[in-house]
Amino acid sequence: MKERNSSLAILREPFIAGTDENLSPVMHHLWKLEGGAIYFCRKGWAHATIDLKDYEIVENTQVVLLPGTIIRINGCSSDFTASFFGFPKEMFMEACMRFEPIFFRFIKEQPCYVLPQENTGAINGLIRATTAIYNDRENRFRNQIARNHLQSFMFDIYDKCYRYFGKHKIEGGTRQDEIFKSFVSLVHEHCASQREVSFYADKLCISTKYLTGICKAVTGDSAKKIIDDFAILEIKVLLQSTELTVQEIADRLHFPDQSYLGRYFKRHEGISPKEYQNKYSI
């Protein structure tokens, strides 16, 4: 979406806040966020795919999209309305220095949850305050105040996550769960350039057989399939939302050449990268 008041747009401002009521310009397209965004659904519903998982967003759903998240809106009601706060990666890093990495790993895995009506006061107040400072363009401390608001958002999100989900679910239970969550986090970080199970097994200091066994036990899928699913998603984003050629995408994602990328993509999707680009590009 290219309108200024959309948090899915490339941020051309230090931050952005407001209300989205029309998702049709971004419907069915993949978007990889350079920055992040916090959404709060006020009315209606939307169906979204976030990092390969499907979610139904209904009234009072809070959605936290970290930098690098890949999202696609699959459908929404005619009365869908959501408030949002979009921010660049640099502001996010500055505001969140005090939080543990394990918390953000959980947010990456659990970006959506519905707030009880009685616990929506904090986010409503923060959204109003952030929108007010976004509109106050003469305020000389505008960006600093927005960063402080973002930190307040994250403190509130931290509180709600630990209150609703519990420490055990956020921080992990068994050793197997911990390894799997670390593996998925590494895949998010490196899948654009590293597609072999051995790379991730070495990072985790375990064997490829043990890693695949853990993935099978937790999800039913092999470690290789999980890596490939995320790698294909990265390719789709570049094919759909950029003007890069297939060769340029192959270079960016460290494929040996365009032909190798083409075979890899077609093996998983059943069509060539060019066919996909012609069908889905914006």
Side-chain angles (χ1 to χ4, degrees):
M1 187 183 299
K2 295 182 180 179
E3 288 83 0
R4 190 182 68 180
N5 67 336
S6 170
S7 64
L8 292 183
I10 297 173
L11 287 177
R12 296 179 178 84
E13 302 183 70
F15 69 99
I16 192 169
T19 301
D20 251 341
E21 296 180 339
N22 178 21
L23 296 178
S24 58
V26 296
M27 200 78 71
H28 306 303
H29 287 291
L30 289 168
W31 298 85
K32 184 170 185 177
L33 304 186
E34 295 180 11
I38 297 168
Y39 257 83
F40 184 65
C41 180
R42 299 196 171 281
K43 188 193 301 183
W45 57 264
H47 293 151
T49 302
I50 303 172
D51 289 334
L52 290 175
K53 294 182 182 179
D54 293 331
Y55 298 91
E56 184 175 10
I57 300 167
V58 296
E59 185 176 348
N60 289 342
T61 299
Q62 182 166 282
V63 184
V64 184
L65 304 175
L66 300 182
T69 296
I70 297 175
I71 181 171
R72 181 180 63 204
I73 306 298
N74 303 314
C76 68
S77 62
S78 59
D79 62 343
F80 177 80
T81 305
S83 298
F84 66 82
F85 173 25
F87 42 86
K89 184 176 181 179
E90 294 74 18
M91 181 183 287
F92 175 78
M93 298 299 291
E94 291 174 5
C96 298
M97 291 175 62
R98 297 171 60 183
F99 294 92
E100 305 94 334
I102 198 168
F103 167 63
F104 294 109
R105 190 171 68 188
F106 175 77
I107 291 295
K108 190 74 171 171
E109 296 171 359
Q110 188 81 40
C112 303
Y113 54 91
V114 179
L115 292 174
Q117 183 62 42
E118 63 271 19
N119 289 331
T120 60
I123 187 167
N124 281 321
L126 286 165
I127 285 285
R128 284 194 297 269
T130 307
T131 302
I133 197 64
Y134 171 69
N135 292 327
D136 185 7
R137 297 177 178 276
E138 301 303 316
N139 193 312
R140 68 186 67 189
F141 301 110
R142 186 168 173 259
N143 294 346
Q144 293 93 320
I145 294 171
R147 183 191 60 209
N148 291 343
H149 285 338
L150 176 56
Q151 187 173 64
S152 296
F153 267 110
M154 297 312 301
F155 277 128
D156 186 60
I157 292 165
Y158 185 96
D159 169 76
K160 297 302 186 294
C161 286
Y162 272 87
R163 194 188 308 182
Y164 301 148
F165 297 101
K167 182 177 180 179
H168 178 80
K169 187 167 184 179
I170 294 172
E171 299 182 5
T174 66
R175 173 65 175 157
Q176 186 177 80
D177 290 336
E178 292 175 5
I179 291 173
F180 179 74
K181 288 179 179 179
S182 296
F183 166 66
V184 172
S185 181
L186 286 169
V187 172
H188 278 294
E189 183 179 355
H190 298 288
C191 69
S193 60
Q194 300 292 340
R195 291 171 289 275
E196 296 301 324
V197 178
S198 58
F199 171 85
Y200 299 95
D202 289 345
K203 285 280 187 181
L204 294 166
C205 299
I206 59 176
S207 69
T208 56
K209 183 178 180 181
Y210 184 44
L211 177 56
T212 292
I214 288 173
C215 292
K216 283 278 191 180
V218 175
T219 69
D221 292 327
S222 68
K224 179 60 174 168
K225 184 177 187 308
I226 293 170
I227 296 165
D228 286 339
D229 285 348
F230 278 102
I232 289 293
L233 190 60
E234 292 282 345
I235 297 170
K236 285 181 175 179
V237 169
L238 293 175
L239 288 170
Q240 194 178 118
S241 59
T242 72
E243 296 181 356
L244 296 175
T245 66
V246 176
Q247 181 60 60
E248 288 170 334
I249 292 172
D251 292 341
R252 177 175 292 196
L253 300 184
H254 302 278
F255 282 90
D257 51 46
Q258 176 178 335
S259 296
Y260 191 104
L261 169 61
R263 292 193 300 272
Y264 178 82
F265 190 85
K266 191 167 187 176
R267 184 167 70 248
H268 291 280
E269 294 299 308
I271 60 175
S272 71
K274 196 64 180 176
E275 289 171 324
Y276 181 89
Q277 194 170 44
N278 291 337
K279 186 175 181 180
Y280 293 106
S281 60
I282 298 171

